Amino acid sequence: MDVSRFEKLSETAWRIAPFGGMRAPAIVYATEDLMTEMDDKVFDQVTNVAKLPGIVRASYAMPDAHWGYGFPIGGVAAFDADEGGVVSAGGVGFDVSCGVRTHLTHLTREQVVSVQQELADALFEHVPAGVGSEGEIALDEQGMNAMLLGGAQWAIERGFGRPEDLDRIEERGCASGADPAAVSEHARKRQRREMGTLGSGNHYLEVQEVAEIFDDEIAAAYGLVKGECVVTIHCGSCGLGHQIGTEYLREMVLSAPNYGIELPDRELACAPIKSELGQKYLGAMRAAINCALANREIIGHLARQVFVRFFAQEDLPLMFDVSHNTCKVERHAIDGETRQLFVHRKGATRAFGPGHDSLPEALRPYGQPVLIGGSMGAGSYVLAGVKTSEPQAFSSACHGAGRRMSRHAATRTWGGRQVVDDLRAQGIIIKSPSLRGVAEEAPGAYKDVRAVVDSAEAAGLARKVAFLKPLICVKG
């Protein structure tokens, strides 16, 4: 991306003044090197988002931004319902509430490595992964409705998880305002046998070593100890969320003229928050959030079942679970006034700073854990939310490294077997039902996660706490 098209605000902040129908400026947070690496469509998409009705303050892109459907991946924007603000299915994305959770262990790297292959095999056999994979849970109509309303609470009530987990999940594991009646029969059908499955694409279950600590106090508060291992799960709302996105995008495109909305891009299909369609989509999207929260809770339970076979005392307490790809109602200070906004984060992470009243008491003094997924080989990060992120981007941060090449280009560059063998030589065991999927997610297909995280910290979006190095990756 050509940085000369931006006004440089700092070493990690770049502004585009409103032009051509933009109702607000656009701001990208990244170093010049990362800006140069971004594709030009990020410029088009972050400025198009700024043209949507009711946008507040600015359209933002995080340091891991890359081209997406409508919004850039790594896009953040907030809308005010009282000022004609919209909710956009393209601004949430197809994998509604795709997110990350990290469980702690008290196991050392040496203990995990002593059973590394057997543990990898057991996790792969016990946690369904891949396109169309099915789990042991079959939902009838009543069970589906209960799951869509209850989220992780529903899973725990049925024995898939522990009550104490809820305190460590965003919104205590259940999005309020879910409307199962707004979820189509087709979406329900796609989900009936998919609970407790990883799905495909960049979803994974990893066993990781805490390889580096950057902030001793916050790491201790989070339960992270250098040399010990954690289990991180990245997945979302599977077929149900994808179907909801597909159906409502189509309906919003057709309905936009009726609401007097001129879409800058069909992929930015949206509806006024206060409209019947806007409210119906919000009800369906919140049901999909609950599906994703239940799904990750079940997979966490399955991981616990495997670990206890190898290490009888390990109970894998949950450190935190946070979603990307959502539209959340939050209160933010705008020009000295606190307003209720609908914050879209697509490929971005909520990152509340210290003292936020929505955080569990044990974490409140330190800020929300922000879990940054890396690629299979490059490693992941745990960050902490900071107060400066609120005025910078509605308390948001990056969510991963961000792709630097398409999946198609990745498969032309690497073979799946080659990636598996290369990573094994580095001490990382990959298990996946699809070698093509492994090639698509090759570490080289992603940006330098260290550069992305350093950018986020320098921009005041979050602060570094720990670096996690993978030992086992079950890839979807």
Side-chain angles (χ1 to χ4, degrees):
M1 196 159 62
D2 182 1
V3 297
S4 68
R5 303 171 76 186
F6 293 79
E7 173 192 357
K8 185 175 181 179
L9 301 178
S10 72
E11 293 300 318
T12 53
W14 307 76
R15 181 179 184 273
I16 306 166
F19 72 95
M22 290 170 65
R23 301 167 192 258
I27 294 177
V28 180
Y29 293 108
T31 60
E32 185 165 347
D33 286 346
L34 286 173
M35 291 283 288
T36 303
E37 197 175 6
M38 288 180 191
D39 45 281
D40 288 332
K41 286 188 176 179
V42 172
F43 182 98
D44 298 335
Q45 293 192 322
V46 76
T47 53
N48 280 339
V49 171
K51 297 175 183 174
L52 294 178
I55 189 167
V56 177
R57 198 193 287 159
S59 163
Y60 298 100
M62 301 291 104
D64 55 337
H66 58 99
W67 173 78
Y69 190 95
F71 272 49
I73 306 295
V76 176
F79 299 87
D80 189 331
D82 292 333
E83 296 190 355
V86 296
V87 57
S88 169
V92 171
F94 290 97
D95 194 359
V96 180
S97 194
C98 177
V100 185
R101 64 163 41 198
T102 295
H103 290 265
L104 303 171
T105 83
H106 300 295
L107 301 170
T108 64
R109 170 191 171 87
E110 290 71 26
Q111 286 176 289
V112 168
V113 168
S114 70
V115 294
Q116 190 176 9
Q117 185 64 59
E118 296 86 346
L119 181 59
D121 292 342
L123 288 167
F124 183 60
E125 290 170 5
H126 202 57
V127 180
V131 176
S133 56
E134 296 184 345
E136 295 296 321
I137 301 169
L139 293 177
D140 59 16
E141 197 63 10
Q142 184 178 6
M144 179 69 72
N145 287 335
M147 181 274 289
L148 295 175
L149 284 171
Q153 293 182 21
W154 168 87
I156 290 168
E157 289 167 2
R158 282 147 187 83
F160 301 106
R162 299 173 186 155
E164 58 267 31
D165 293 343
L166 293 177
D167 199 38
R168 295 304 182 106
I169 305 175
E170 193 176 5
E171 296 184 283
R172 288 189 59 79
C174 179
S176 62
D179 181 8
V183 179
S184 72
E185 183 53 40
H186 191 187
R188 291 160 178 265
K189 184 178 180 181
R190 291 184 63 176
Q191 196 60 34
R192 292 197 188 284
R193 292 299 303 269
E194 289 197 355
M195 297 307 298
T197 66
L198 274 176
S200 59
N202 61 353
H203 296 160
Y204 60 76
L205 183 156
E206 282 193 352
V207 182
Q208 304 160 324
E209 174 194 2
V210 181
E212 195 170 356
I213 297 286
F214 303 100
D215 188 309
D216 291 332
E217 182 183 11
I218 299 180
Y222 286 180
L224 296 167
V225 177
K226 186 176 180 180
E228 290 189 350
C229 293
V230 300
V231 179
T232 295
I233 296 162
H234 176 222
C235 65
S237 50
C238 304
L240 183 135
H242 195 281
Q243 190 62 34
I244 287 172
T246 301
E247 293 170 359
Y248 279 93
L249 272 162
R250 187 185 308 130
E251 191 170 351
M252 285 177 172
V253 167
L254 295 173
S255 301
N258 300 332
Y259 295 119
I261 297 174
E262 186 176 343
L263 295 174
D265 178 348
R266 286 172 58 87
E267 295 180 359
L268 287 175
C270 58
I273 293 162
K274 290 187 173 180
S275 68
E276 182 179 350
L277 177 57
Q279 288 297 305
K280 188 178 170 188
Y281 172 72
L282 285 167
M285 181 208 65
R286 289 163 180 158
I289 289 174
N290 286 335
C291 176
L293 295 174
N295 195 41
R296 288 198 291 274
E297 183 68 19
I298 295 168
I299 294 174
H301 173 75
L302 296 177
R304 283 168 168 156
Q305 288 181 325
V306 171
F307 268 77
V308 80
R309 292 186 211 163
F310 294 85
F311 309 101
Q313 303 303 315
E314 279 306 319
D315 60 356
L316 272 63
L318 181 60
M319 184 181 81
F320 205 68
D321 182 313
V322 64
S323 298
H324 322 131
N325 298 3
T326 59
C327 173
K328 296 284 184 73
V329 180
E330 297 172 5
R331 299 183 71 78
H332 290 279
I334 307 295
D335 299 329
E337 176 191 1
T338 300
R339 290 161 60 179
Q340 178 174 280
L341 304 176
F342 288 71
V343 182
H344 292 61
R345 296 187 181 91
K346 182 178 182 179
T349 308
R350 193 192 76 176
F352 286 153
H356 198 284
D357 58 10
S358 79
L359 297 178
E361 189 174 340
L363 301 180
R364 198 169 299 159
Y366 309 99
Q368 178 208 300
V370 178
L371 310 176
I372 307 298
S375 61
M376 293 175 284
S380 303
Y381 280 83
V382 177
L383 311 183
V386 292
K387 287 190 174 180
T388 50
S389 184
E390 203 285 337
Q392 298 281 63
F394 301 110
S395 299
S396 306
C398 53
H399 83 312
R403 295 196 75 94
R404 56 180 287 269
M405 70 169 65
S406 69
R407 289 187 165 88
H408 188 59
T411 57
R412 290 201 306 268
T413 308
W414 295 282
R417 173 50 56 190
Q418 172 195 355
V419 173
V420 169
D421 290 345
D422 288 349
L423 291 174
R424 179 175 282 275
Q426 299 173 38
I428 305 166
I429 294 179
I430 306 297
K431 299 287 292 187
S432 175
S434 168
L435 284 176
R436 178 180 176 83
V438 170
E440 290 176 348
E441 299 299 318
Y446 284 84
K447 300 172 189 172
D448 180 352
V449 69
R450 289 180 181 270
V452 169
V453 166
D454 287 345
S455 259
E457 184 172 61
L461 302 175
R463 65 187 300 176
K464 290 191 294 187
V465 177
F467 173 67
L468 312 175
K469 186 178 178 182
L471 295 171
I472 296 170
C473 178
V474 177
K475 198 73 178 172

